[in-house]
Amino acid sequence: MIKTDILIIGAGPTGLFAVFEAGLLKLKCHILDALPQPGGQLSELYPKKPIYDIPGFPEVLAGDLVDNLMEQIKQFEPGFTLGERAETIVKQEDGTFIVTSNAGTQFHTPVVAIAGGLGSFEPRKPLIENIEFYEDKGVKYFIKNPEEFRNKRVVIAGGGDSALDWSIFLADVASEVTLIHRRNEFRGALDSVEKVQELKNEGKIRMITPAEVVGINGANHIESIVIEEDGVQRTIETDYFIPLFGLTPKLGPIADWGLEIEKNAIKVNNALDYQTNIPGIFAIGDVNTYPGKLKLILCGFHEATLMCQAAYQIINPGKRYVLKYTTVSGVDGFDGTRKEAPKAVVKAIV
């Protein structure tokens, strides 16, 4: 049983920043996320794409923003349980909650902050017969460890940034990379399209367009795929097939927690603290909805800040918190570190 002041469900930018705001209030956080690394959509979908609307950053790569947030919260020593999905929640007689993950890990907390972005992401799977049989037997929807493909034959299907970027990356890892797309045109960053064209000209990437993967062969592991090109089917031998057709967001089991849901988002009280219809459970960031809602990272930061103020009152009933600017109070980490502005020097001018 993991005990914490606030259990944050979702390790995207909003969830990560909530750790910082909670830390300023001396509240300890633990983060639970179904993805294997922090960052949410920023890490999973577009780590190398620039973001232009983060205050103070004219331009910042999504992956760099995640790194900065992780560095910012490091001194507050949050706990992380990654690769597990929040499954059930049970309210205790004292008003606290026990949340259980799909792996059986349990968390005991007085406050739950759902910061799950658009929900838990599931890959869009191609309509290929028996594809489920080959999952973890050569079919991969995510690339977690590129070294797994070292000196292997890899077929990637897709026409977006993920398909282009991983084709470029694996060209120097795999023994053979084949990129298949049902159209001749690719929808991705121009420099990525040009780089793939360059690698194709050099013979480092084999490209087959327009074409579509329609079948998979193999006894206990994928041995080949069947593609259809100009109405004609043929077989290509491969060790891995990686269809990268994007992700579909779903609330998942959280939708069954008794929360008020509207259009796949959690309704909250935005007039006060972004609390749901269940006291003690908050929803912040893209996962929530209210009149005038904007699905922006900077809005999530604001929501996380107000949520932490309300969480403080739940955890410390009747105790008044006096807001102090970090420029005045500094930041005291749970690890004993302290960040503060240099003190003014008192000296007479003669």
Side-chain angles (χ1 to χ4, degrees), residues 79-98:
F80 284 91
T81 298
L82 302 174
E84 298 183 25
R85 183 184 65 239
E87 198 77 17
T88 62
I89 187 168
V90 179
K91 193 162 189 174
Q92 307 301 294
E93 290 184 2
D94 62 357
T96 62
F97 302 91
I98 291 181

Side-chain angles (χ1 to χ4, degrees), residues 291-310:
K293 170 68 180 182
L294 293 177
K295 293 182 182 293
L296 297 173
I297 294 173
L298 62 92
C299 295
F301 290 165
H302 164 77
E303 294 165 11
T305 304
L306 296 189
M307 178 278 295
C308 288
Q309 296 289 322

Side-chain angles (χ1 to χ4, degrees), residues 227-256:
I227 69 167
E228 185 170 301
E229 185 179 12
D230 295 327
V232 178
Q233 293 189 359
R234 62 187 174 102
T235 299
I236 296 177
E237 293 184 351
T238 188
D239 301 303
Y240 289 95
F241 172 47
I242 309 172
L244 298 174
F245 298 144
L247 302 171
T248 300
K250 295 182 179 179
L251 275 181
I254 290 175
D256 301 321

Side-chain angles (χ1 to χ4, degrees), residues 13 16 38-39 42-43 46-51 54 57 59-72:
L16 294 177
L42 275 65
S43 296
Y46 50 94
K48 298 299 182 184
K49 282 196 170 182
I51 302 173
I54 302 299
F57 288 92
E59 177 181 333
V60 59
L61 294 181
D64 290 344
L65 178 59
V66 173
D67 291 342
N68 290 341
L69 287 164
M70 290 293 289
E71 179 65 27
Q72 187 177 31

Side-chain angles (χ1 to χ4, degrees), residues 21-333:
E21 288 297 322
L24 295 179
L25 300 171
K26 310 299 182 188
L27 301 179
K28 189 78 172 177
C29 294
H30 193 95
I31 296 183
L32 170 65
D33 197 291
L35 294 175
Q37 73 284 319
Q41 298 177 61
L42 275 65
S43 296
E44 195 66 36
L45 299 183
Y46 50 94
K48 298 299 182 184
K49 282 196 170 182
I51 302 173
Y52 301 103
D53 61 354
I54 302 299
F57 288 92
E59 177 181 333
V60 59
L61 294 181
D64 290 344
L65 178 59
V66 173
D67 291 342
N68 290 341
L69 287 164
M70 290 293 289
E71 179 65 27
Q72 187 177 31
I73 67 175
K74 183 170 65 175
Q75 66 183 137
F76 293 124
E77 300 181 321
F80 284 91
T81 298
L82 302 174
E84 298 183 25
R85 183 184 65 239
E87 198 77 17
T88 62
I89 187 168
V90 179
K91 193 162 189 174
Q92 307 301 294
E93 290 184 2
D94 62 357
T96 62
F97 302 91
I98 291 181
V99 176
T100 304
S101 78
N102 62 320
T105 307
Q106 291 193 313
F107 310 86
H108 188 199
T109 179
V111 174
V112 175
I114 302 171
L118 297 174
S120 58
F121 289 99
E122 298 179 7
R124 290 193 178 98
K125 301 179 182 182
L127 298 176
I128 298 174
E129 186 178 358
N130 294 331
I131 191 169
E132 289 82 7
F133 173 79
Y134 293 99
E135 292 171 0
D136 295 326
K137 297 176 183 177
V139 171
K140 301 283 185 179
Y141 301 111
F142 301 101
I143 297 178
K144 306 304 178 191
N145 177 21
E147 283 300 313
E148 180 180 2
F149 308 101
R150 175 71 63 182
N151 299 323
K152 301 292 185 180
R153 298 167 299 180
V154 176
V155 171
I156 295 175
D161 282 309
S162 293
L164 293 166
D165 291 345
W166 280 117
S167 295
I168 294 168
F169 188 92
L170 293 179
D172 292 326
V173 176
S175 62
E176 179 182 287
V177 174
T178 301
L179 176 59
I180 298 174
H181 184 37
R182 58 188 175 183
R183 299 186 183 91
N184 290 319
E185 300 81 16
F186 287 83
R187 186 182 297 274
L190 180 60
D191 61 337
S192 297
V193 175
E194 291 176 346
K195 182 63 177 177
V196 168
Q197 179 70 61
E198 179 184 327
L199 290 170
K200 177 193 175 215
N201 295 341
E202 295 174 359
K204 293 183 178 180
I205 291 178
R206 176 171 56 168
M207 190 177 301
I208 305 176
T209 61
E212 193 170 356
V213 179
V214 295
I216 303 175
N217 301 317
N220 298 314
H221 193 278
I222 188 171
E223 296 173 5
S224 65
I225 60 163
V226 180
I227 69 167
E228 185 170 301
E229 185 179 12
D230 295 327
V232 178
Q233 293 189 359
R234 62 187 174 102
T235 299
I236 296 177
E237 293 184 351
T238 188
D239 301 303
Y240 289 95
F241 172 47
I242 309 172
L244 298 174
F245 298 144
L247 302 171
T248 300
K250 295 182 179 179
L251 275 181
I254 290 175
D256 301 321
W257 286 6
L259 301 167
E260 194 173 352
I261 308 294
E262 182 180 284
K263 295 181 180 178
N264 206 43
I266 302 170
K267 291 186 71 173
V268 295
N269 174 12
N270 68 308
L272 188 61
D273 52 18
Y274 304 98
Q275 199 159 188
T276 69
N277 59 303
I278 300 178
I281 301 181
F282 299 78
I284 54 177
D286 288 357
V287 76
N288 74 15
T289 186
Y290 52 83
K293 170 68 180 182
L294 293 177
K295 293 182 182 293
L296 297 173
I297 294 173
L298 62 92
C299 295
F301 290 165
H302 164 77
E303 294 165 11
T305 304
L306 296 189
M307 178 278 295
C308 288
Q309 296 289 322
Y312 181 87
Q313 295 302 323
I314 292 174
I315 297 167
N316 302 286
K319 188 175 180 180
R320 184 166 175 263
Y321 172 74
V322 179
L323 176 66
K324 295 179 181 178
Y325 301 112
T326 55
T327 49
V328 176
S329 63
V331 179
D332 291 307

